[in-house]
Amino acid sequence: MESNFSLTLYNFETEKKFMFMKSSVYKWSLFFLILFGAAGIKAQDFKIGIKFQKTHSLYWENGVSAQYSFVKIRPGQLYVGLDILSSRLGSALGTNALKQNTYLGSLSYYFRKNKAFKIITKVNAGFFKVDLGNELFNELPDTALLLSPELGLVYDFKHKPLSLNLGAGLNVNTKTEGESPGTLQPLFYNLTMFYKFNNI
Amino acid sequence: MKNPIIKIFALFCLGLLIIGCDKSPPIEDHMLDGDIVFDPSINNPEEFLASAKYPNPTSEDLDRHVMIAVHGFTASTFEWSEFNEWSADSTYRLSLVLLGGHGTSYDDFKASTWSDWAESIKLEYETLESMGYKKISLVGSSTGATLLVELVRSGYFDARTSPQNIFLIDPIVVASSKLQSIAGILGPMLVYVGSDNSVEKDEYYYHFKPQETVSELNDLMKTVRKGLEDGLTLPADTYMKVFHSKHDPTANSLSSVMIHAGLKNSAGSDIDVQIMDSDIHVFTRLAIRDSVSALNIENQEDAFRQMANRLN
């Protein structure tokens, strides 16, 4: 499945454009485009925060998370989001743990909209890459497409623009077992601390 | 529970739970799991262990290399029998150890811990050392390989004669099976995991894996992973080489990446790793497989030859 994805990039993009896509300029442009309004659509809520994620019995991967709710589409209930997580900010910090990155887009739905405690259901989709660190391992699987349902709880502080998210999810296996990077394991749980902007 | 429908539903769920928690797997007479078939090394250790076969070694014997071969999870001494036959005319000697809790019965396996599994490796190593052997090497396949890394991690060799060589075949530090890591959570609901072993394979490998031992294996992998993350060093002058199937369906090939990243030789340099063009687990065991390709045979021969070259 993953090899098809790579093939598509090579078939339809020039090498120059492919390099541009990989550049940090592109990544950050995309990031801010999504965060600050997606081509001018006004936000009901915009939340940005830090996320701590643990894969069950394996690595901590930490990073940033953002969520965005549109004024005209289920405001305060339906959110699109973006997460960038890395073991470089977790288990691999100062150790020999493998360095790996996770890039996720998400769609969340919040139940109990007007309560302090909310329940959220979420679907994540994205891309996983582990750095194998040596050309000896060039032939080994180091990437995977990600798809994961997630269930969580949110607590919104009453008089502060802060919220806490607790979630647990399951990575759906998109490859046969011998073809998937071993550090991509099914069960994960996370804690996100958000700072919330209203009506931006 | 005033509502009778809720009561009935609760009883139904309880019934399902009780039925689902039948703790006895359907063991058949031909299986290693039962009380009829045993690993032959239990009754005839002199055919498997160099220490038992040559109880009074001469000085010429003591100058030979001797290698301890360690099998994997659920397996038995059979796993290294092909290398034993391949080495028949060699100058080195082999000890095929049977891991603790293995080769006897399901109940013995269920009661064992990963620490028990390693005891037979230690016993043979210490026996050979006390006999005066100086050139002792080790090879482990799958969990056997992981146990060897654990011996390095625990400092077992620090006060002993350093092994000459340690070879790891498809070591398991992280599993390919995505369910393996959550076996501890599924816990009592899991009870045991069956396999699709052939009748022939059932004679040499446990058919059923009790959830307790699956959790033990997870615990061993976690301990070794933590050690590798913190950084490990081989005993002085010990050579290590890791062989791993590229698409190993059981021990994920990233296990060897983790070992390469976390384990250095005593001079501080990298250990040797070779990725094999293979999609089978424990590529050195080809007996009783459904099909064996020319490439499988080539891979096995390559690993056997490289190990033998270090022992001659």
Side-chain angles (χ1 to χ4, degrees), chain A residues 56-57 96 139 180 182 184 186, chain B residues 178 181 225 228-229 246 252:
Chain A
H56 181 68
S57 83
N96 299 313
E139 292 179 82
S180 172
L184 177 61
Chain B
K178 301 301 181 189
S181 69
R225 271 199 310 265
L228 292 168
E229 285 172 21
K246 193 194 306 179
N252 194 275

Side-chain angles (χ1 to χ4, degrees), chain A residues 6-68:
Chain A
S6 302
L7 201 61
T8 306
L9 286 176
Y10 273 104
N11 280 347
F12 294 102
E13 305 291 341
T14 63
E15 190 179 344
K16 192 177 171 185
K17 193 169 182 184
F18 179 67
M19 292 305 290
F20 175 72
M21 283 180 71
K22 289 191 76 173
S23 73
S24 57
V25 174
Y26 177 84
K27 281 178 190 168
W28 284 108
S29 302
L30 182 66
F31 183 62
F32 285 110
L33 184 69
I34 292 170
L35 293 192
F36 296 111
I41 298 171
K42 196 177 177 187
Q44 170 71 24
D45 279 334
F46 169 59
K47 303 197 284 186
I48 186 162
I50 49 174
K51 185 168 186 170
F52 305 92
Q53 180 158 299
K54 175 86 166 74
T55 298
H56 181 68
S57 83
L58 207 67
Y59 293 157
W60 281 98
E61 289 174 89
N62 306 325
V64 293
S65 178
Q67 291 200 337
Y68 187 105

Side-chain angles (χ1 to χ4, degrees), chain B residues 53-250:
Chain B
K53 190 171 186 179
Y54 307 99
N56 300 301
T58 63
S59 58
E60 192 185 339
D61 288 331
L62 294 175
D63 201 39
R64 291 169 188 256
H65 281 271
V66 56
M67 183 149 85
I68 300 172
V70 189
H71 63 80
F73 184 68
T74 75
S76 61
T77 54
F78 176 81
E79 193 153 272
W80 282 105
S81 59
E82 284 161 89
F83 186 52
N84 199 27
E85 287 159 21
W86 189 90
S87 304
D89 299 326
S90 62
T91 55
Y92 58 85
R93 287 174 174 163
L94 284 177
S95 274
L96 276 56
V97 296
L98 180 66
L99 292 181
H102 286 70
T104 53
S105 69
Y106 176 84
D107 290 335
D108 280 355
F109 189 34
K110 185 179 169 182
S112 65
T113 64
W114 64 257
S115 183
D116 297 334
W117 305 344
E119 283 305 313
S120 55
I121 310 171
K122 293 180 182 175
L123 180 61
E124 181 64 0
Y125 196 89
E126 288 160 30
T127 306
L128 291 170
E129 191 184 29
S130 67
M131 286 174 146
Y133 284 99
K134 302 284 184 216
K135 300 173 183 173
I136 308 173
S137 296
L138 300 119
V139 59
S141 49
S142 190
T143 301
T146 315
L147 288 168
L148 298 184
V149 180
E150 167 53 20
L151 291 182
V152 173
R153 189 207 64 83
S154 66
Y156 172 76
F157 297 110
D158 291 354
R160 295 188 167 79
T161 309
S162 292
Q164 293 264 309
N165 305 281
I166 300 178
F167 301 104
L168 309 180
I169 308 292
D170 292 339
I172 183 164
V173 179
V174 62
S176 288
S177 167
K178 301 301 181 189
L179 288 178
Q180 176 85 27
S181 69
I182 53 175
I185 293 174
L186 297 175
M189 284 185 292
L190 196 63
V191 186
Y192 58 83
V193 181
S195 67
D196 56 359
N197 289 355
S198 63
V199 171
E200 201 180 6
K201 194 176 176 187
D202 277 346
E203 190 182 338
Y204 305 108
Y205 290 76
Y206 284 136
H207 191 101
F208 298 102
K209 301 170 193 168
Q211 68 89 10
E212 290 86 348
T213 57
V214 175
S215 293
E216 283 295 319
L217 176 56
N218 280 340
D219 192 34
L220 170 65
M221 289 192 288
K222 192 175 174 184
T223 304
V224 168
R225 271 199 310 265
K226 181 74 176 68
L228 292 168
E229 285 172 21
D230 293 342
L232 302 176
T233 304
L234 284 172
D237 302 322
T238 297
Y239 171 80
M240 175 176 274
K241 178 148 189 176
V242 186
F243 299 86
H244 212 124
S245 287
K246 193 194 306 179
H247 300 298
D248 188 326
T250 305

Side-chain angles (χ1 to χ4, degrees), chain A residues 54 56-59 91 94-98 100 128 130-134 136-137 139-142 170 173 175 177-187 189, chain B residues 174-182 185 222 225 227-232 245-249 252-254 256-258 260-263 270-275:
Chain A
K54 175 86 166 74
H56 181 68
S57 83
L58 207 67
Y59 293 157
S91 294
T95 75
N96 299 313
L98 301 189
Q100 59 188 37
F128 170 91
V130 55
D131 179 3
L132 302 183
N134 194 299
L136 272 174
F137 307 119
E139 292 179 82
L140 299 185
D142 62 350
L170 206 61
N173 202 4
K175 287 184 173 180
E177 290 184 335
E179 307 283 334
S180 172
T183 50
L184 177 61
Q185 291 290 321
L187 183 63
Y189 14 85
Chain B
V174 62
S176 288
S177 167
K178 301 301 181 189
L179 288 178
Q180 176 85 27
S181 69
I182 53 175
I185 293 174
K222 192 175 174 184
R225 271 199 310 265
L228 292 168
E229 285 172 21
D230 293 342
L232 302 176
S245 287
K246 193 194 306 179
H247 300 298
D248 188 326
N252 194 275
S253 51
L254 263 60
S256 288
V257 180
M258 290 175 171
H260 183 264
L263 181 55
D270 287 344
I271 57 166
D272 284 349
V273 177
Q274 184 173 343
I275 300 298

